[in-house]
Structures are given as structure tokens and as C-alpha cells.
Amino acid sequence: MNGFLKSLLDVFKEPSVIIGLIALLGLTLQRKSLSDTVKGTVKAFVGFLVLAAGAGVVSGALTPFGDMFQHAFGVQGVVPNNEAIVGEVLTQFGSQAALIFFFGMVVNVVLARFTRLKFIYLSGHVAIYLAAMIAVILMSNGFAGWEAVLWGSLAQGLITTLSPALVHPWVRAVTGRDEVAIGHTGGFGIWFAGLVGRICGGRTTTAADGAHGPKAGPRSKSTEDLKIPQGLGFLRDTTVVIAVSMGVVYLVVTLVAGAGYVESTLSNGQWYLIWALMQAGKFAAGVFVILAGVRAVLAEILPAFKGISEKLVPSAKPALDVPILFTFAPNAVLIGFLASFVGGLLGMGVLVAVGGTVVIPGVVAHFMTGAAAGVVGNATGGRRGAVLGALANGLLITFLPLLVLPYLGSTGLKNSTFSDADFGVAGLLLGGTAHWGKFALIGLIVLGLAAVFIGSGAVGRRTATAAAIAKEAEETEADESDAAKPGADADKTGAAATKKP
């Protein structure tokens, strides 16, 4: 049984495999030719691997930066890092996490099929992290294995359905389209960034402006409209901007950390200044590869997903990883990352000042969710929205992980924890209610499912009523317009007379 679960987990925890299977299913349902099916499936699979490779390069460049930052400024504490904490959880609750992950996907598809929340969560790597957190919370609060799987799967399906729905209005504002959604455990932070941008910055003048996104206050300038002097024209290139900016950041922290630490611990003896510049260059290269992978995935997965939408889950939208947003506002990606990281530093400073457990900024989390928060904040509030929205995300992913620690049992005593905002919100809700007893948590999940179905039904009826009223108004207006035409009555009289024997 454990061997089967491990094999199942190995398949479905790979988002590239899920993307390839989705493409295969969609193209098959559309009855595409064998050639088109094979080509579309392989290109979708490889495209996501390109995206993942870029993310790996970025992560590889940021990980030593985090270590160097801690050494440079003498800070010790809890580091939000999904990969580190999940590795610990899976050694204790791997079977429960695997089953919650798998059946949670089934619940997500069922909810998408029978409600108006038509989002299929395809980011398998963060979904398994979410399942691991749910497993450790339930198992650490007295649930038996089968109970944890049952209620955990329902909770997982609810979260992976509601998170894309929450952030989707802002995604429409960014993309100007309604075909793709965001499925990531940073969803709540990204939504909050969009809300902050809307309140503080107004609406931007972007290509997507007025498409389907929420309307807000006065128009403000976009990060992509930054005016650059002619002599600095090279900064119009996104790759150059990222490389130069990160080069400055790396050099500053490297100088503070000192040559001795860097060369003995991080660079394997390489001159520390050259090492810093190489890490900045690798970071920029990783972002470049991510953007190329995003274009490849979107080119294949959206047409293929049409088959699933038409046959299995009408009007379904694929909820994909956050880099899908990066191509729409590359300048906001860098601004969002830096602003989110500053938010993490500010939050850390507050925790140091009050003498509590210190949460050290997780650089990878701040890049992925902060960059997306910057793009969304820019779409809803321009440059100010990009900065303040991403800053708000950075504060969220600093304080929320701290609040979840008490509900993680012995796992919460480690020096790492879950990083993104959805972990914080879901962990607080599940852990807080589990603290009151099993029935409190079960009641929360049942109420959540009931709210989704009842709310979806109410919205459906309201939408149908509005459509019927609009159609009736159009028909009435058309009849009145016909009656007002000169000679309309005479034509009707003549037609009636012609029909008489």
C-alpha cells in the first residue's frame, strides 16, 4: 500500500506531469490528430520543465543569499521555507499527506463541476505542501489517520477551489483575459496586495485596463511606463534591469558578510565579489528562463484545456503557478520582490524589538509571491500599488507563519515553517478550530462546503434572472423601435389585407 501511495505521490506531485496529462486529456477530448496530440502534450510538459528549471536557478541563487544575510546581520530565528518543513512532515505523516493531496484534487474537480467556481488547481508542488500542513495539523490535534484523510481531503479541496477564485478578479485585471487563473499558496497575499493597490493607488493605464478587472479610483502610471533617460536606454531591457539591481543588492550584503565567510562557506574559495556578481547574473538568467517557460506553457495548455472545459467541467479555468503573471509586467516583478522583502525586514525588526520568536525573511517566498503581488498591485494601483501591495504581502508572510507555529505540534519546534499566506490563513482556521475539538473543525469544513454550494446556487439564480430581465428589455426595446418606424402600421395593415381571401 505504501509503495502504491509513493508511486502515486511521485506522479502527481510533479506539476510538469500534471500539465502534460491535462494537455493529453484536453487534446484527446477534442479528437485532435495523433500528431497534434503528441506535439501539444510534449510541448506543454517540456514548457513547464523550462519554467521549473528557471525557478530552480532563481532558488539556487537566492538560497545562499539568505544564509549570507543571516550571517551579515547576526539574525537567528525561524525561516519560512516550504521544502524544508515539508521534508520533516512527510517523514512522519507521508501516507496521510499523500492521500489528502490525491483526494483533495478529486474534491477540487467535483466543486468545479457542480458550482460556479470553475477553477482546476494544477500547481501540484504547492498542493502537496498544503496537504502536508493539513495532515500535521489534524494528526497533531487528535485525529485518527482515516479521519485526517477524510476531513483533510475536503479541506484541501475547499482551499484549492477558493484560493484561485479569491484572486481571480485581479488576475483578469492583469491579463485582460478570463481563460487562466492563479493556483498558488500565496493566493491570499496576492489578493491582499491587489486590494491594497486598489485602495492606495487607483487604477493603471495598462493594456489590460478595462478588460474585466475591478474598477477603482483615478488612473495612475504603471511600472511598465517608467521613463528612462536616453543615456540609460539599456535599462529598458528587463533582464539587464534585474541583473544590475540584484548585482547591487548582492554586492552590498556580500561586503557586509565579509570575504572570509563567503569564500569559506558559500563560494568554494572563489573571490567573493566575483561570486556575488555571478549569483546576481544567475538570478537574472533564471527569471529569463521562467518567462520563456511561461510563454511555452500558455501556448499549449490553454488550447488543450478547452477540451476539458467543453467535455468534463464546462467553462473550467486552469489555475497555474504565479510565474504565469510575470510576463505581463516585468518591471513590477522586480519591484514587487524588493518591496516584499523590505516588508519582511520591517516585520523582522518588529519581532526583534518585542522580543518574540523572530521570523527571518524567506527569500524564495518573497520572490515568488512578492513578484506576483507587485504585478497585481500594479494592475490595480500603478507604481504605488505595486510597492505598497507587495510590501503588505511581505508583512503577511512574516507574521502569519508565526501565528501558525503553535498548531504544528512537534514540527512547529523546528527552525523552519510554512511560508506563503494561504498556509497562514488556512493554518489559523484549521488549527484554531481543531484546538476547540474535532467537532469544531468538522463543523467548519461542513459549513465551508455548504456555503460554496448555497452561494454558488444563489449567484447562479441571480445571474439567470438578470439575464432574463436584460433579454426582455432588449426585446421590448426592439418592438418599440419597430413600432416607431414610419409606415410600420400601414405595412402591417397591407400585409393583413393581402392575406384575406
Side-chain angles (χ1 to χ4, degrees), residues 19 23 39-51 288-304 320 323-324 327:
I19 292 294
K39 182 174 70 174
T41 301
V42 172
K43 289 181 72 174
F45 171 69
V46 173
F48 202 93
L49 285 177
V50 170
L51 190 159
F288 181 86
V289 174
I290 285 175
L291 298 181
V294 167
R295 296 186 186 98
V297 170
L298 287 180
E300 300 300 330
I301 195 64
L302 292 182
L320 304 173
I324 296 297
T327 57

Side-chain angles (χ1 to χ4, degrees), residues 431-444:
T433 51
H435 183 71
W436 290 97
K438 290 183 181 180
F439 290 109
L441 187 143
I442 292 171
L444 175 69

Side-chain angles (χ1 to χ4, degrees), residues 18-38:
I18 295 175
I19 292 294
L21 292 174
I22 291 292
L24 175 62
L25 179 60
L27 293 167
T28 301
L29 289 173
Q30 293 181 74
R31 297 183 180 179
K32 295 290 186 180
S33 67
L34 178 61
S35 175
D36 289 342
T37 300
V38 172

Side-chain angles (χ1 to χ4, degrees), residues 101-362:
F101 170 71
F102 178 75
F103 289 113
M105 286 198 303
V106 175
V107 174
N108 172 222
V109 173
V110 171
L111 290 175
R113 175 65 179 86
F114 294 105
T115 73
R116 296 180 63 82
L117 303 179
K118 305 294 184 181
F119 304 99
I120 307 296
Y121 203 93
L122 298 182
S123 298
H125 59 308
V126 291
I128 188 62
Y129 300 161
L130 180 62
M133 186 195 73
I134 294 172
V136 71
I137 288 177
L138 269 59
M139 296 294 291
S140 298
N141 285 277
F143 281 74
W146 70 269
E147 293 174 319
V149 171
L150 172 62
W151 299 109
S153 299
L154 293 173
Q156 172 100 353
L158 265 175
I159 296 166
T160 54
T161 301
L162 292 173
S163 178
L166 179 67
V167 76
H168 193 58
W170 306 139
V171 174
R172 291 200 304 263
V174 170
T175 64
R177 304 164 67 179
D178 198 29
E179 300 171 346
V180 66
I182 292 301
H184 191 271
T185 45
F188 183 83
I190 297 168
W191 167 80
F192 190 67
L195 181 64
V196 170
R198 184 181 184 185
I199 294 172
C200 299
R203 193 171 48 149
T204 63
T205 52
T206 63
D209 188 39
H212 297 286
K215 295 183 178 180
R219 295 177 182 271
S220 57
K221 293 182 179 179
S222 167
T223 57
E224 310 313 296
D225 297 330
L226 289 170
K227 293 182 179 180
I228 300 174
Q230 187 172 0
L232 299 175
F234 62 89
L235 293 178
R236 293 189 179 92
D237 188 296
T238 302
T239 304
V240 175
V241 170
I242 293 174
V244 170
S245 302
M246 292 306 295
V248 172
V249 172
Y250 267 96
L251 283 173
V252 169
V253 178
T254 300
L255 288 170
V256 176
Y261 172 77
V262 173
E263 292 178 6
S264 64
T265 307
L266 302 176
S267 71
N268 292 323
Q270 186 179 29
W271 187 37
Y272 72 122
L273 296 182
I274 287 295
W275 176 85
L277 292 176
M278 289 298 296
Q279 297 305 305
K282 289 177 181 179
F283 179 92
V287 174
F288 181 86
V289 174
I290 285 175
L291 298 181
V294 167
R295 296 186 186 98
V297 170
L298 287 180
E300 300 300 330
I301 195 64
L302 292 182
F305 206 81
K306 183 180 178 183
I308 296 175
S309 177
E310 291 175 346
K311 301 292 185 180
L312 299 180
V313 185
S315 303
K317 301 174 183 64
L320 304 173
D321 203 354
V322 287
I324 296 297
L325 296 179
F326 292 178
T327 57
F328 293 95
N331 290 342
V333 169
L334 180 60
I335 291 171
F337 164 50
L338 295 176
S340 182
F341 189 69
V342 169
L345 294 177
L346 291 175
M348 182 184 71
V350 170
L351 294 173
V352 170
V354 300
T357 301
V358 177
V359 176
I360 299 169

Side-chain angles (χ1 to χ4, degrees), residues 438-469:
K438 290 183 181 180
F439 290 109
L441 187 143
I442 292 171
L444 175 69
I445 295 172
V446 171
L447 284 175
L449 289 169
V452 167
F453 280 101
I454 294 172
S456 180
V459 171
R461 288 191 296 271
R462 187 166 55 195
T463 302
T465 301
I469 292 173

